Amino acid sequence: MVTVSTVNWLFVCGLSFCLGGIAVLSFMPLGSADHKMALLVPFRDRFEELLQFVPHITKFLQRQNVEHHIFVLNQVDRFRFNRASLINVGFQFTSNVYDYIAMHDVDLLPMNDDLRYEYPSSLGPLHIAGPKLHPKYHYENFVGGILLVRREQFQQMNGMSNQYWGWGLEDDEFFVRIRDAGLRVTRPENIKTGTNNTFSSHIHNRHHRKRDTQKCFNQKEMTRKRDHKTGLDNVRYKILKVHELSIDGVDVTILNILLECDLNKTPWCDCSGTAAAASAVQT
């Protein structure tokens, strides 16, 4: 069962400041746990997967006694999907209350209870969906799928690059940020399952839901480089609405996020070239 209530506030956000975020979070019940995790789910048009994800991950984390809340980062502009910028927005919205985040794909459901969503060590981020466990990606520097990051570590790295419009490569760039910050990726140890049975997943079927892999303008050249110019401190966006959603009795916060794109710097946010249409808000 799904019920929705709406907070009709307009958030004007930029740099590292978001008006109103603290006020929203103050209504969320939290216990006295030592650490609180904001589970950030970048999202667009995948509601059927969200309905499965929310009750599954909630039961999974309850078995571990992980204090958490789910934030669905719903991109409502008509630019290409930007997973990394959505995570930057989610971090800004939650960081005053939660001391670590889980960057979590909605189509990746953990099945092995030995995967502990614990507070990451001082060494660096904790990668739950490592290359020996993820059903599709098996290269050593892979840090996508599910990555847990301490608040101060995410700030130290200036979050993620805002240049990655469309599918792919933002995680590879983030791996370089981790390395450049003097941190290293840690992964669960002594996991007895493997790539076929650690996660239940809905990895994109090219016939059911195509990935936006198009490259236009100078995107291919620019997104193969370490981005030293964009990140947490200059992501530009507005939060149009905050919905409080209940899915099977689980309270979830939906942020309707309108990302802004500087067409002079990243014209590939709109490969069609119709910037006026791209800047319209989906209804």
Side-chain angles (χ1 to χ4, degrees), residues 81-111:
F81 190 63
N82 191 323
R83 178 177 178 270
S85 286
L86 292 174
I87 291 170
N88 284 339
V89 174
F91 179 87
Q92 287 192 6
F93 190 83
T94 61
S95 61
N96 284 300
V97 173
Y98 298 84
D99 59 354
Y100 72 115
I101 62 171
M103 302 152 52
H104 211 301
D105 287 354
V106 72
D107 60 359
L108 207 56
L109 309 180
M111 305 301 293

Side-chain angles (χ1 to χ4, degrees), residues 36-38 87 91 98-103 118-121 124-127 146-155 157 160 174 178 183:
K36 299 178 178 67
M37 182 180 74
I87 291 170
F91 179 87
Y98 298 84
D99 59 354
Y100 72 115
I101 62 171
M103 302 152 52
E118 60 195 5
Y119 186 66
S121 76
L126 173 59
H127 189 211
I146 310 167
L147 185 68
L148 278 53
V149 188
R150 284 190 185 190
R151 175 170 53 197
E152 65 272 17
Q153 292 172 351
F154 197 77
Q155 293 168 331
M157 293 180 281
M160 303 186 77
F174 192 61
I178 295 170
L183 302 171

Side-chain angles (χ1 to χ4, degrees), residues 131-146:
K132 295 181 180 180
L133 304 176
H134 194 278
K136 187 170 184 178
Y137 300 109
H138 308 136
Y139 58 96
E140 182 59 30
N141 293 346
F142 174 66
V143 292
I146 310 167

Side-chain angles (χ1 to χ4, degrees), residues 71-86:
F71 296 86
V72 179
L73 313 175
N74 184 32
Q75 185 174 339
V76 298
D77 56 82
R78 291 188 181 177
F79 293 118
R80 302 170 73 193
F81 190 63
N82 191 323
R83 178 177 178 270
S85 286
L86 292 174

Side-chain angles (χ1 to χ4, degrees), residues 6-27:
T6 304
V7 181
N8 289 304
W9 294 343
L10 174 65
F11 293 72
V12 180
C13 305
L15 301 178
S16 58
F17 185 65
C18 180
L19 292 173
I22 299 174
V24 173
L25 291 175
S26 66
F27 291 106

